[in-house]
């Protein structure tokens, strides 16, 4: 997994609440059996004026100039600023893959939907929860041209260009996995004997589960 | 996060969630996190190919084959299947599932199998979902299985791989919430109306970080089909999972199903299952109380399931919303939905009707819709009305009861099982601007087809809308 320590990046404000996973990556792209290549379809319905599909070259489509992602000033953004309940809807990890593939490394919002939040960590992508008033302040500041935030995971802070610093919480295990880029499956498999012991015990209590 | 004070845990009353959690902890990892054992893993074609690739890449094998059950449902055609899948990209994905299941030795119901259907319909139908289990699937509506007093939740593809490879997941204990629906619902009010009313009350983020236990007389009175409808939509309230206590209704439903325990194992299982309810006096992190008698037939008007009103209501007016972000959200939704504030709901005319999805495609749903349809014709402005049974077995049962004739005679299409127009990954979709009365669970922008407009309703309400051509109050 890609490691995450410190990222300083152009910040794109997406001023909508309840951004759902169908909006982040529409269903037609979920037919891909690959894990990469979703970046050009990120926010597809908002981003293009015409319909797209896996076999349509995005370069031939008409971008929606109104949509914030298409504004030249946000080209190369790697920090996404969003409103509450970001990532609600389906369990598709493709939503995180699309954000990552586009170039985002982190999304900062007042709250996230659970599954999206969990999926993020598995891909080296960092979801950050800040307080409502902090998010409001960042949305105001991010109006400035070339606004760049610094996310420091070891320190657990988001720093503004003006020097303000907001602290965020993160589970220590998840932090460790991200900072070191650990393979969670490999870690769990180190506990194989503990899992076998659980199974042996459970078989006595609930034999029907193993019939 | 809730953490049990050490020592006090054994004597204090427990929630159902506490009991399910505790029974599955393989190892504590500190800070409320644990390695949790997974009893049942359901697999479908959309969220699994990259997980199987991951296994191959790392030379790993599934930990316990018998814990997995696979089926293709999202991409399958609902029309004649003898020619296979026409769309080459859909076909590739279904083929990938078939070959992955072959390669790794996982049981799969293929497209030609009578048992094929939507993953959340077939699990319970087969008895592959049992009370007290942990059930996961790379699909958010895995919450459905919580209807059985199981701890069931959706996961992403990385976790699908983790569950396959280790039979466990690293999980953090969620908060607990209880939604009590007190008293009896009025005649004609269904599980769908109950859950939409709950979401209308607590909002789509109301359950974030929580496992919701649905309780109260109105919930206990529901059939298993109804309970599945309620738990199915727990995810639309933002919950990690929804659960309902085990009772005789649960046990009667499970008995005799192909994967259910038999003989001595059955007796043993029932003893444990009968303990799967929250103890009297158990503490929840939050409680919500809803009066069943207040619930009316529900219709969503916007692009989020919380944007819902009773059928005798009107499209709300954003001008009356004080919160700016919410107001903008409402305005955007009205624009997308092509609706004007204050329009009476029963004046909204529809183009299509979809009866199906893991929320409402079980036999009871089809019976309820057929009862409304019986002997009538769909309205002339309805371009397409389709019924998509949740599984081959549901379809077979419905045909045995003659429900297919009722629908066909009324002008509905009677299709093969699958997810279909719930999300339109196959050929069943809305065209831009088309308005649909749908029994599915999500009314997000573009969900049923780019530019499509979805109104979520119960099966009886969808059927009534098909006949009238617009929403109607089925109580009238
Ligand atoms: S029916 Fe709809 S919600 Fe249910 S699993 Fe299929 S696509 Fe998902």
């Amino acid at each position: 997994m890609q490691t995450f320590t410190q990222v300083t990046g152009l910040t794109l404000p997406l001023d909508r609440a309840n951004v759902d996973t169908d909006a982040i990556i529409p269903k037609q792209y979920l037919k891909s059996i690959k894990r990469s290549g979703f970046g050009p379809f990120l926010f597809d319905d908002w981003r293009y004026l015409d319909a797209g599909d896996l076999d349509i070259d995005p370069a031939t489509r008409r971008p929606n100039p109104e949509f914030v992602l298409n504004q030249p000033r946000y080209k190369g953004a790697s920090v996404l600023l969003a409103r509450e309940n970001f990532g609600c809807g389906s369990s598709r990890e493709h939503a995180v893959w699309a954000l990552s593939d586009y170039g985002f490394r982190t999304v900062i919002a007042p709250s996230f939907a659970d599954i999206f939040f969990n999926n993020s960590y598995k891909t080296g992508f960092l979801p950050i929860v800040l307080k409502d008033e902090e998010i409001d302040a960042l949305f105001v500041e991010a109006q400035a041209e070339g606004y760049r935030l610094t996310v420091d995971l070891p320190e657990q802070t988001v720093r503004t260009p003006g020097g303000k610093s907001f602290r965020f919480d993160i589970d220590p295990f998840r932090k460790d996995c991200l900072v070191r880029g650990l393979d969670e499956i490999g870690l769990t498999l180190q506990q194989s004997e503990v899992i076998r012991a659980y199974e042996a015990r459970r078989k006595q209590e609930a034999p029907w589960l193993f019939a | 996060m809730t953490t049990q004070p050490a020592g006090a845990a054994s004597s204090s009353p427990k929630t159902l969630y506490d009991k399910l959690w505790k029974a599955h902890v393989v190892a504590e990892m500190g800070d409320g996190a644990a390695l949790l054992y997974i009893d049942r893993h359901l697999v479908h074609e959309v969220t699994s190919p990259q997980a199987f690739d991951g296994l191959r890449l790392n030379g790993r094998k599934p930990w316990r084959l018998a814990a997995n059950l696979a089926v293709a449902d999202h991409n399958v055609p609902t029309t004649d299947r003898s020619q296979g899948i026409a769309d080459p990209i859909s076909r590739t994905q279904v083929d990938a599932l078939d070959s992955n299941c072959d390669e790794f030795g996982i049981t799969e119901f293929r497209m030609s199998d009578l048992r094929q259907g939507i993953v959340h319909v077939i699990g319970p139908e087969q008895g592959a979902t049992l009370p007290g289990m942990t059930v996961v699937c790379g699909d958010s509506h895995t919450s459905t299985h919580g209807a059985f007093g199981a701890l069931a939740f959706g996961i992403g593809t990385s976790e699908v791989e983790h569950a396959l490879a280790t039979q466990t997941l690293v999980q953090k204990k969620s908060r607990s919430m209880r939604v009590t629906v007190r008293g009896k619902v009025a005649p004609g009010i269904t599980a769908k109306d109950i859950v939409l009313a709950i979401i209308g009350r607590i909002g789509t983020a109301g359950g974030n970080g929580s496992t919701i236990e649905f309780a109260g007389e109105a919930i206990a009175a529901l059939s298993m089909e109804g309970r599945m409808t309620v738990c199915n939509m727990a995810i639309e309230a933002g919950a990690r999972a929804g659960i309902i206590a085990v009772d005789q209704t649960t046990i009667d439903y499970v008995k005799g199903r192909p994967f259910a325990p038999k003989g001595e194992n059955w007796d043993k299982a029932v003893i444990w299952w009968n303990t799967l309810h929250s103890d009297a006096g158990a503490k929840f992190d939050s409680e919500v109380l809803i009066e069943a008698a207040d619930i009316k037939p529900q219709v969503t008007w916007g692009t989020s399931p919380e944007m819902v009103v009773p059928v005798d209501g009107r499209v709300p007016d954003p001008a009356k919303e004080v919160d700016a972000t919410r107001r903008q959200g409402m305005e955007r939704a009205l624009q997308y939905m092509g609706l004007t504030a204050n329009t009476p709901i029963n004046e909204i005319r529809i183009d299509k009707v979809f009866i199906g999805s893991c929320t409402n495609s079980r036999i009871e749903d089809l019976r309820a819709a057929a009862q409304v349809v019986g002997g009538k014709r769909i309205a002339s402005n309805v371009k397409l009305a389709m019924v998509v049974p949740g599984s081959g077995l549901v379809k077979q049962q419905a045909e045995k009861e003659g429900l297919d004739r009722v629908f066909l005679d009324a002008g509905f299409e009677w299709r093969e099982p699958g997810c279909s127009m719930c999300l339109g990954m196959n050929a069943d979709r809305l065209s831009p601007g088309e308005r649909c009365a749908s029994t599915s669970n999500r009314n997000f922008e573009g969900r049923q087809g780019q530019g499509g407009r979805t109104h979520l309703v119960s099966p009886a309400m969808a059927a009534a809308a098909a006949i009238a051509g617009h929403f109607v109050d089925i109580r009238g």
Side-chain angles (χ1 to χ4, degrees):
Chain A
M1 187 174 78
Q2 192 181 14
T3 59
F4 193 115
T5 47
Q6 203 193 71
V7 167
T8 297
L10 185 64
T11 304
L12 183 140
L14 181 66
D15 201 354
R16 299 186 187 215
N18 299 314
V19 170
D20 62 73
T21 53
D22 285 74
I24 299 173
I25 183 88
K27 66 224 150 213
Q28 63 268 36
Y29 304 110
L30 311 189
K31 292 181 190 178
S32 165
I33 57 173
K34 294 187 303 202
R35 216 182 173 108
S36 58
F38 296 101
F41 313 121
L42 176 66
F43 299 125
D44 200 80
D45 284 356
W46 295 338
R47 185 170 163 190
Y48 300 100
L49 294 167
D50 45 6
D53 213 329
L54 271 178
D55 51 6
I56 298 174
D57 179 1
T60 64
R61 296 173 60 194
R62 282 188 297 133
N64 173 9
E66 304 277 299
F67 185 53
V68 55
L69 199 83
N70 290 328
Q71 293 168 14
R73 58 178 285 199
Y74 294 117
K75 199 168 156 28
S78 60
V79 177
L80 183 64
L81 193 57
R83 295 290 186 183
E84 73 253 25
N85 201 27
F86 187 85
C88 59
S90 93
S91 70
R92 58 187 75 162
E93 198 165 308
H94 312 65
V96 186
W97 300 339
L99 286 161
S100 294
D101 197 63
Y102 179 84
F104 286 112
R105 293 298 320 278
T106 176
V107 52
I108 307 173
S111 62
F112 290 91
D114 275 352
I115 306 181
F116 177 89
F117 192 72
N118 285 336
N119 284 344
S120 297
Y121 292 103
K122 317 287 176 187
T123 314
F125 183 81
L126 179 63
I128 297 176
V129 177
L130 291 183
K131 296 190 190 76
D132 280 327
E133 57 274 21
E134 294 168 344
I135 296 285
D136 285 342
L138 290 179
F139 265 99
V140 173
E141 287 197 5
Q143 300 306 319
E145 192 90 26
Y147 185 79
R148 295 163 75 84
L149 286 170
T150 297
V151 172
D152 189 320
L153 179 55
E155 295 264 303
Q156 294 179 223
T157 57
V158 175
R159 286 198 300 275
T160 71
K164 271 182 268 177
S165 175
F166 303 120
R167 205 180 146 73
F168 61 88
D169 282 332
I170 182 170
D171 173 84
F173 174 73
R174 284 175 159 162
K175 178 175 171 178
D176 196 40
C177 285
L178 271 180
V179 171
R180 295 161 61 193
L182 298 176
D183 162 25
E184 215 182 271
I185 295 176
L187 284 180
T188 301
L189 286 174
Q190 289 174 10
Q191 304 209 55
S192 291
E193 294 200 354
V194 184
I195 302 173
R196 296 268 179 235
Y198 171 90
E199 285 180 322
R201 177 162 52 83
R202 193 77 181 134
K203 222 175 196 155
Q204 298 295 315
E205 294 166 3
W208 66 90
L209 291 173
F210 298 85
Chain B
M1 294 294 148
T2 43
T3 39
Q4 293 279 352
S10 56
S11 56
S12 56
K14 290 197 181 54
T15 64
L16 170 57
Y17 176 64
D18 288 335
K19 295 179 187 179
L20 293 171
W21 177 269
K22 187 159 170 269
H24 291 91
V25 171
V26 172
E28 299 279 0
M29 300 174 69
D31 208 27
L35 195 61
L36 212 61
Y37 194 76
I38 302 305
D39 295 316
R40 175 68 66 204
H41 180 206
L42 302 167
V43 181
H44 70 73
E45 80 276 21
V46 181
T47 52
S48 66
Q50 298 88 348
F52 283 113
D53 271 349
L55 291 185
R56 264 189 296 271
L57 210 65
N58 293 289
R60 290 172 179 146
K61 294 246 168 301
W63 179 275
R64 189 160 74 83
L65 282 174
N68 301 284
L69 178 62
V71 70
D73 52 6
H74 287 62
N75 281 278
V76 299
T78 56
T79 45
D80 178 23
R81 288 179 178 173
S82 54
Q83 305 302 314
I85 304 176
D87 174 1
I89 308 175
S90 282
R91 192 172 57 231
T92 304
Q93 198 162 54
V94 174
D95 287 350
L97 181 68
D98 293 352
S99 64
N100 282 326
C101 288
D102 280 348
E103 179 186 336
F104 289 100
I106 288 172
T107 304
E108 184 199 2
F109 297 161
R110 296 274 170 114
M111 211 165 73
S112 54
D113 195 313
L114 184 62
R115 297 168 299 177
Q116 183 269 341
I118 306 172
V119 67
H120 308 307
V121 174
I122 68 154
E125 186 173 78
Q126 293 296 318
T129 300
L130 294 174
M133 274 184 163
T134 40
V135 180
V136 299
C137 173
D139 194 284
S140 57
H141 292 100
T142 309
S143 60
T144 310
H145 309 261
F148 289 81
L151 180 55
F153 51 91
I155 56 179
T157 300
S158 293
E159 287 186 316
V160 168
E161 188 180 336
H162 197 284
L164 279 168
T166 72
Q167 213 54 51
T168 64
L169 286 174
V170 177
Q171 291 291 303
K172 199 149 191 181
K173 203 166 178 200
S174 69
R175 286 188 298 270
S176 59
M177 178 185 232
R178 178 164 58 188
V179 175
T180 304
V181 187
R182 187 162 67 185
K184 290 190 175 61
V185 291
I189 300 303
T190 67
K192 185 64 163 287
D193 302 306
I194 295 176
V195 71
L196 283 172
I198 293 171
I199 296 166
R201 165 83 84 85
I202 69 175
T204 44
N208 273 9
S210 299
T211 294
I212 300 181
E213 178 171 346
F214 298 98
E217 192 186 344
I219 299 293
L222 292 172
S223 65
M224 287 316 294
E225 283 85 353
R227 294 179 193 185
M228 285 189 256
T229 301
V230 170
C231 287
N232 174 276
M233 292 197 70
I235 183 73
E236 308 311 329
R240 185 84 176 117
I243 39 175
I244 294 175
V246 174
D247 62 9
Q248 200 54 41
T249 305
T250 325
I251 292 170
D252 291 345
Y253 180 97
V254 171
K255 187 153 194 173
R257 301 210 172 244
F259 286 66
K262 314 248 160 3
E264 205 183 314
N265 270 347
W266 171 262
D267 299 335
K268 259 191 165 167
V270 169
I271 293 171
W272 189 51
W273 294 346
N274 276 323
T275 68
L276 296 177
H277 49 77
S278 290
D279 297 332
K283 288 270 171 298
F284 290 81
D285 296 309
S286 57
E287 297 254 17
V288 174
L289 181 67
I290 290 186
E291 297 295 344
D294 295 345
I295 302 174
K296 297 176 179 176
Q298 304 282 308
V299 182
T300 64
W301 57 269
T303 53
S304 160
E306 70 183 12
M307 294 172 164
V308 65
V309 287
V311 64
D312 57 6
R314 290 167 182 269
V315 174
D317 189 349
K320 295 194 183 120
E321 174 60 56
V322 283
D323 181 86
T325 306
R326 286 182 69 92
R327 187 168 57 246
Q328 278 164 21
M330 288 172 75
E331 283 163 355
R332 195 178 289 126
L334 287 184
Q335 194 188 14
Y336 180 86
M337 293 296 290
L339 290 174
T340 316
N342 302 314
T343 305
I345 295 295
N346 60 19
E347 285 178 13
I348 301 174
R349 293 169 72 79
I350 54 162
D351 306 304
K352 287 187 174 169
V353 176
F354 171 63
I355 298 176
S357 90
C358 57
T359 316
N360 282 128
S361 64
R362 298 180 180 84
I363 190 68
E364 184 183 286
D365 301 313
L366 305 192
R367 285 178 191 145
Q371 207 183 350
V372 173
V373 167
K376 305 190 188 76
R377 288 283 308 171
I378 60 172
S380 56
N381 61 303
V382 174
K383 288 186 259 181
L384 170 73
M386 61 197 290
V387 183
V388 185
S391 72
L393 288 167
V394 169
K395 181 167 186 260
Q396 189 186 46
Q397 177 62 30
E399 287 172 355
K400 221 188 266 173
E401 297 176 20
L403 306 185
D404 57 327
R405 285 290 2 139
V406 173
F407 289 118
L408 287 165
D409 290 347
F412 279 83
E413 296 194 9
W414 179 247
R415 297 289 188 92
E416 298 297 325
C419 294
S420 180
M421 209 161 68
C422 173
L423 93 166
M425 270 187 87
N426 68 353
D428 311 333
R429 293 181 205 161
L430 296 182
S431 302
E434 278 181 343
R435 189 178 299 287
C436 181
S438 177
T439 66
S440 57
N441 44 48
R442 284 192 178 134
N443 50 352
F444 297 160
E445 287 184 21
R447 170 77 178 180
Q448 294 193 289
Q450 208 195 18
R453 295 161 172 167
T454 302
H455 295 268
L456 305 176
V457 288
S458 73
M461 285 285 289
I467 304 302
H470 56 84
F471 293 109
V472 283
D473 190 339
I474 48 162
R475 298 170 304 170

